[in-house]
Amino acid sequence: MTSPTTLPTPVLTATNLSFAYSEHLVLHEVSMELLPGQVVALIGPNGSGKSTLIKLLCGLIHGSGDITLRDQPLRRWRRRLLARTVAYLPQSPTYEPADRVAEVLRLGRACYWTAFGLETDHDLATVARIANLLELNDLLDRRMDQLSGGQRQRVFIGRCLVQEPAILFLDEPNTYLDLKHQVDLLKLLQTLAHEHHLAVLMASHDINLAGAFADELMLLSEGRLTARGRADQVLQPALISQAYGVEMIQIPSPDHSLLFPKLC
């Protein structure tokens, strides 16, 4: 007799999260959990609450509901320790144009530095490893304002990974990346999640790429979580058409069906 599979303990649990800007409710009673070893893609149209949900889960903004990180309320976490546990990439990261790529990556280790800002051998080795993973070695001495948008995006992702977090929150990480680097990034996130037990939550506008690489999809519509599950469960024409307000057609593929807007 085969014993039942035991799911890992959630690293983060959110219950009944709601948030409003002034009197405009943008997120309504969203409950979810993140498991180590999983990539979860957050999909939904503009204004559905994806970025707001990620900011709430990072503790950057505060609404109603409860968020528990490793069995402790998120509001009780010290910022320095939180930065060692959670990494966040916003849609539009800020940077100093004159900073070198190596300096930007090093900043991801700041939450580990001593009071004197001293770096350890592990700090240096981590930066080197991530630079190699993201094919940034040839750019380490370049200024940020000398990079293409896609190259800068890879540096920002690298800065997050250098933190060695338990949870990685990415808001539209494929922005500015060409198709090869989009696929490479998603493969890397899969590897980090599955082999190194990282929990990944990423917002994405590319529902087909998200469906191909994520273990689970979460569909937000008008601030509500309307569906969650495998790609074949969530990428249904009726569900996506209702959420995005455009009629979708389904095209079979070897792995899972693809959805495209009906043009005529």
Side-chain angles (χ1 to χ4, degrees):
M1 182 176 178
T2 303
S3 59
T5 302
T6 303
L7 291 176
T9 301
V11 66
L12 181 144
T13 302
T15 307
N16 296 330
L17 296 186
S18 296
F19 186 84
Y21 292 103
S22 297
E23 296 182 358
H24 177 59
L25 189 65
V26 294
L27 208 64
H28 183 70
E29 294 188 352
V30 172
S31 297
M32 55 168 290
E33 58 185 28
L34 291 177
L35 301 178
Q38 281 195 339
V39 177
V40 178
L42 189 60
I43 63 173
N46 290 337
S48 59
K50 300 188 300 296
S51 296
T52 299
L53 176 58
I54 289 176
K55 289 177 183 177
L56 282 169
L57 297 175
C58 292
L60 296 176
I61 58 177
H62 304 282
S64 62
D66 298 306
I67 303 173
T68 302
L69 176 61
R70 286 183 168 170
D71 298 323
Q72 183 175 336
L74 182 64
R75 62 183 179 274
R76 294 184 183 174
W77 280 72
R78 292 178 176 269
R79 299 305 304 179
R80 184 178 177 86
L81 184 56
L82 185 63
R84 297 180 181 183
T85 308
V86 171
Y88 165 61
L89 177 66
Q91 284 187 18
S92 301
T94 59
Y95 63 95
E96 293 296 328
D99 282 352
R100 307 285 175 176
V101 169
E103 296 169 341
V104 176
L105 293 178
R106 286 179 57 245
L107 286 176
R109 299 298 300 174
C111 56
Y112 295 95
W113 294 346
T114 66
F116 300 101
L118 298 177
E119 295 176 90
T120 66
D121 289 342
H122 180 70
D123 292 329
L124 299 174
T126 301
V127 171
R129 176 172 57 85
I130 297 303
N132 185 60
L133 276 175
L134 293 178
E135 300 179 352
L136 296 172
N137 289 322
D138 293 339
L139 303 176
L140 291 176
D141 292 327
R142 296 267 294 276
R143 288 166 48 119
M144 291 294 286
D145 60 359
Q146 295 174 335
L147 304 181
S148 69
Q151 289 170 330
R152 275 196 296 271
Q153 188 72 351
R154 283 157 53 205
V155 174
F156 296 138
I157 293 166
R159 183 172 61 186
C160 289
L161 294 177
V162 161
Q163 291 177 233
E164 295 186 298
I167 304 177
L168 184 58
F169 292 111
L170 303 170
D171 197 352
E172 300 292 344
N174 286 344
T175 302
Y176 303 119
L177 297 182
D178 60 33
L179 186 57
K180 176 188 182 301
H181 285 107
Q182 289 184 49
V183 172
D184 287 347
L185 170 63
L186 293 173
K187 286 181 177 177
L188 174 61
L189 294 177
Q190 271 190 334
T191 299
L192 291 171
H194 298 169
E195 297 182 9
H196 301 278
H197 307 293
L198 182 67
V200 179
L201 178 66
M202 67 173 191
S204 178
H205 276 304
D206 192 323
I207 60 175
N208 290 314
L209 265 182
F213 286 95
D215 299 295
E216 282 194 309
L217 300 181
M218 292 175 52
L219 176 61
L220 278 179
S221 179
E222 298 182 345
R224 299 176 184 271
L225 182 59
T226 58
R228 179 173 185 174
R230 302 185 312 271
D232 62 334
Q233 297 172 315
V234 177
L235 295 184
Q236 294 291 329
L239 278 173
I240 301 301
S241 295
Q242 183 175 14
Y244 285 83
V246 59
E247 188 175 355
M248 306 295 290
I249 58 174
Q250 193 171 40
I251 300 175
S253 76
D255 297 319
H256 65 84
S257 296
L258 304 176
L259 294 185
F260 296 95
K262 186 176 181 180
L263 301 180
C264 58

